[in-house]
Amino acid sequence: MNIPLTFRQVEFLLAVAEAGSTAAASRALNTSQPSVSLAIARCEEVFGQKLFVRIPGRGMELTPFGQHKVAQMHELEKQARWVLSGGEGTPEFLNLGVFSTLGPRYAPQLVRRFMETRPDAEIRILEGDLQTLFDWLSEGRIDVALLYDFGVPSNFAITPLMAAEPYALLPQGHRLARQPAVSVEELAQEPVILMNLPHSRGYFLSLLQNASFPVQVAHETGSIEMLRSMVANGFGAGLLATDLPDGMCYDGNPVVRVPLAGHPPPHQIALAHRGAAVRRPVVQAFTAFAKAFFTRPD
């Protein structure tokens, strides 16, 4: 069988995707820029579609098709490295997508503990918002995603891990911060700071939709720590689901976590899979380990 691309051309393709330009890739690979450009042209000829968009002053950005192919090329590179190193058995490569608000809280410790039990496993962590993770799963760029289970397409398999109850976040000294719980009616009378990530914003707004007061959205942010800091400095009340304790923000100001009255239905922290990846032994092992980890998170 004739293989239309060389490993060197694949290496050039991945270097441009990483560096963002043929010039930067040629420096990283210690080769000429024309050689890199020719390799990209050859890859696009073989695939029959553009892999990059050339943007003056900004270098080269992957097209959606290019993102899909680069993800496949990364897997090919890993397989080739494993074969050429004399590996035996099934290579244990796993691309783990993590929802950006959950990532810092759980992913590093989960992955470290799993790798202590499977030292031959190679795990790559990629962060994104929920829609990005759905896209990556569909494209095959990641094998499994750690996320909340709201808004998940029906063609994905879901493994629930742990309930996540939403709560209010208030500045220390706020009149509601001294209460054992705060109602949505009370929260709706405060300026609210929202996470504005895809699906997250709608979820948090839905918690307030039954209040008799119109919701006052004061600020929106894609960063949990920005939300915490804005709350601590009196810009409004926050809503979160990620399990974070009371404490100081980066600027040293405190925030107070208060449960929501009525205990609104919790969502689940879950793993999402799609396609054949769920049958891979390393994915099955990681899923089983994650279930145990979230049952006994200590």
Side-chain angles (χ1 to χ4, degrees):
M1 181 180 67
N2 179 39
I3 299 177
L5 293 175
T6 66
F7 283 122
R8 187 64 168 164
Q9 288 169 326
V10 171
E11 183 182 19
F12 286 176
L13 167 61
L14 296 179
V16 174
E18 179 73 23
S21 72
T22 55
S26 66
R27 290 193 296 271
L29 297 171
N30 194 27
T31 190
S32 69
Q33 187 173 351
S35 297
V36 176
S37 297
L38 285 172
I40 298 303
R42 175 57 181 163
C43 290
E44 292 182 329
E45 178 186 359
V46 168
F47 294 133
Q49 291 191 47
K50 289 292 184 183
L51 298 170
F52 295 93
V53 176
R54 283 75 173 172
I55 302 176
R58 290 173 52 189
M60 301 173 68
E61 294 185 2
L62 286 166
T63 64
F65 176 78
Q67 292 174 354
H68 178 57
K69 282 300 173 185
V70 163
Q72 292 180 324
M73 292 299 104
H74 275 300
E75 291 304 311
L76 176 62
E77 181 190 38
K78 290 177 183 177
Q79 295 278 353
R81 276 204 318 267
W82 176 79
V83 170
L84 294 174
S85 68
E88 298 179 357
T90 304
E92 295 198 313
F93 307 129
L94 188 147
N95 286 329
L96 171 66
V98 297
F99 183 36
S100 54
T101 64
L102 280 175
R105 175 66 177 86
Y106 297 110
Q109 186 182 47
L110 170 62
V111 169
R112 175 180 62 80
R113 291 190 179 185
F114 177 72
M115 293 182 69
E116 288 171 354
T117 69
R118 307 283 286 246
D120 294 333
E122 181 180 338
I123 299 181
R124 183 176 178 222
I125 300 174
L126 297 95
E127 285 186 280
D129 60 47
L130 288 176
Q131 188 58 54
T132 298
L133 295 181
F134 299 155
D135 292 342
W136 286 349
L137 282 169
S138 297
E139 295 164 2
R141 184 176 179 184
I142 57 177
D143 303 300
V144 61
L146 177 67
L147 40 67
Y148 291 114
D149 67 348
F150 49 82
V152 180
S154 60
N155 58 337
F156 292 170
I158 294 294
T159 302
L161 299 174
M162 186 177 74
E165 291 192 8
Y167 58 89
L169 205 62
L170 296 161
Q172 192 176 70
H174 191 282
R175 61 183 180 82
L176 299 177
R178 296 186 295 272
Q179 299 184 176
V182 59
S183 69
V184 294
E185 198 77 14
E186 291 170 314
L187 270 186
Q189 298 177 59
E190 301 290 324
V192 176
I193 304 171
L194 288 180
M195 296 296 297
N196 65 2
L197 300 173
H199 300 280
S200 300
R201 185 181 190 278
Y203 166 65
F204 288 119
L205 278 176
S206 72
L207 297 176
L208 304 172
Q209 67 184 2
N210 292 325
S212 57
F213 297 89
V215 180
Q216 310 169 54
V217 178
H219 298 279
E220 300 186 30
T221 176
S223 162
I224 278 188
E225 192 54 39
M226 177 64 82
L227 184 148
R228 282 165 50 86
S229 184
M230 293 182 80
V231 168
N233 284 278
F235 286 90
L239 281 167
L240 287 176
T242 303
D243 184 21
L244 299 172
D246 295 343
M248 300 295 179
C249 299
Y250 287 168
D251 64 3
N253 287 305
V255 288
V256 180
R257 170 177 170 167
V258 182
L260 294 180
H263 299 287
H267 279 285
Q268 290 284 327
I269 297 172
L271 291 178
H273 316 77
R274 187 177 187 274
V278 71
R279 295 191 292 272
R280 293 179 55 211
V282 66
V283 174
Q284 294 177 346
F286 182 81
T287 300
F289 186 88
K291 290 170 69 175
F293 174 87
F294 280 93
T295 301
R296 301 183 300 275
D298 56 335

